[in-house]
Amino acid sequence: MPPEVLHPRRPGPRILHVSDLHFGTREDPEMADAIAALIERTEPELIVASGDLTHRGRRAQHESAARVLRAFGLPVLAVPGNHDLPYTFPARFTRPWAEFERMWQTTEPIYRSERVLIVGLNSARPWRQQSGGVRTRQLEWAAEHLATADDGALRVVVLHHHLLGAPWRSRKKPVADRNRVLAALVESGAELILAGHIHQGAVSERREFEVATPGGERGVTVSIAPGLGQPRPNRRGEARGLHVYEARAHEIDVQTYVWRRDGWALTAERRFPRGREPLAYAELR
Ligand SMILES: [Fe+2]
Ligand SMILES: [Fe+2]
């Protein structure tokens, strides 16, 4: 009998990642049903929403976003994006996170299970219009929590601003000082870094762009979800979609689904190494 029958492959933890919903602009009621169907099929452990849940940071928009995200009956981890701040003065500076926290309690949430530890970082800044940053003390705080993950648990960090360049045109700048941010997250043991903001899907394993000594640093999969909302429907280059991750002992699989009016299309399946070893090595020498 083949070993896989004796030991059926235990599926790894799965995460459904949405970003940039921009509630308050156009909404498609049929999309919520389609997400529910996708959840039924892929069985994620939780939903991660990486910011810009709303378009103008208004109370009603925050309420709609939270209601829709929670209606799937799964835990939801949400961090704010630049659009989740109040658009109006002085609220943007006097109570920047009040509406977000009213729905989500905190702008830097933590999700912990036996198989996953996720740390959310708030990279949006009231005094910046679009761009974002992460302070050293936020990175230290993330490191403290990542260090407490159970053995073998997938260590994930979520922020709104991207660390990778956009595959298509974008004027949006990545998170400020991204070399420092990425280095700190690698050092603290992050294995998967999730973001949004550019409304385009992009996924890369760190060793695709940073040289690592043989047998050296761990890989990190850096992933940006396509936008799920579409605040500027006439703008080209803004697909709508989401990502589903599955982590196994030595691999992270990323599925990219795009929205096609009548449902989801799986447009990419990508596999990345998890840990120090590449996907294959010895047999290629
Ligand atoms: Fe956005
Ligand atoms: Fe954004």
Side-chain angles (χ1 to χ4, degrees):
M1 196 178 279
E4 58 270 24
V5 176
L6 280 174
H7 305 286
R9 187 176 75 89
R10 187 183 178 220
R14 298 197 191 109
I15 300 168
L16 185 124
H17 176 198
V18 297
S19 198
D20 297 85
L21 290 81
H22 286 265
F23 267 83
T25 50
R26 54 181 290 162
E27 277 158 41
D28 301 277
E30 69 272 21
M31 190 184 263
D33 291 340
I35 292 173
L38 192 63
I39 285 172
E40 202 170 311
R41 213 173 73 200
T42 58
E43 298 183 332
E45 178 172 329
L46 81 156
I47 299 169
V48 167
S50 57
D52 285 359
L53 277 57
T54 73
H55 196 55
R56 292 286 187 238
R58 294 193 184 118
R59 173 168 291 193
Q61 296 174 350
H62 277 290
E63 286 174 349
S64 300
R67 188 177 59 246
V68 169
L69 284 168
R70 290 192 171 124
F72 302 114
L74 290 175
V76 180
L77 180 141
V79 297
N82 50 304
H83 276 267
D84 296 319
L85 286 152
Y87 204 61
T88 51
F89 182 84
R92 187 175 179 91
F93 298 98
T94 55
R95 47 197 296 278
W97 312 116
E99 296 303 332
F100 187 91
E101 287 175 342
R102 196 169 152 263
M103 289 295 115
W104 303 100
Q105 287 77 53
T106 173
T107 58
E108 300 209 309
I110 289 176
Y111 173 85
R112 180 190 294 275
S113 75
E114 241 172 60
R115 303 202 289 169
V116 181
L117 178 69
I118 308 182
V119 177
L121 291 174
N122 179 359
S123 62
R125 296 286 175 264
W127 58 90
R128 296 180 186 221
Q129 194 204 349
Q130 278 271 358
S131 60
V134 180
R135 293 190 197 88
T136 299
R137 67 166 175 72
Q138 290 176 280
L139 295 166
E140 289 167 353
W141 174 84
E144 279 168 31
H145 286 282
L146 289 170
T148 66
D150 287 357
D151 279 354
L154 181 72
R155 283 159 293 177
V156 185
V157 172
V158 183
L159 70 166
H160 178 61
H161 290 83
H162 53 300
L163 280 89
L164 297 178
W168 193 238
R169 68 177 188 180
S170 177
R171 294 200 187 120
K172 292 176 182 173
K173 287 188 192 153
V175 67
D177 206 357
R178 64 174 157 173
N179 288 355
R180 174 183 60 93
V181 173
L182 181 61
L185 295 179
V186 169
E187 183 69 23
S188 58
E191 299 175 280
L192 181 60
I193 300 172
L194 309 183
H197 189 53
I198 51 176
H199 296 220
Q200 300 169 30
V203 194
S204 183
E205 203 269 302
R206 173 189 167 232
R207 289 173 293 193
E208 290 184 275
F209 55 84
E210 259 194 322
V211 175
T213 50
E217 302 90 335
R218 285 177 306 96
V220 179
T221 302
V222 182
S223 178
I224 298 155
L228 192 60
Q230 197 176 38
R232 293 164 289 262
N234 298 323
R235 183 177 286 188
R236 288 180 62 81
E238 286 194 349
R240 308 179 75 184
L242 53 82
H243 281 156
V244 178
Y245 310 99
E246 179 174 353
R248 290 188 300 280
H250 302 292
E251 292 153 4
I252 295 173
D253 285 352
V254 184
Q255 293 186 325
T256 305
Y257 291 88
V258 294
W259 175 251
R260 288 164 56 100
R261 283 277 145 246
D262 52 348
W264 300 107
L266 176 63
T267 202
E269 283 189 290
R270 299 175 246 216
R271 174 162 294 171
F272 296 89
R274 180 181 172 199
R276 287 184 187 279
E277 294 302 323
L279 289 172
Y281 182 51
E283 62 266 38
L284 300 177
R285 278 186 287 182

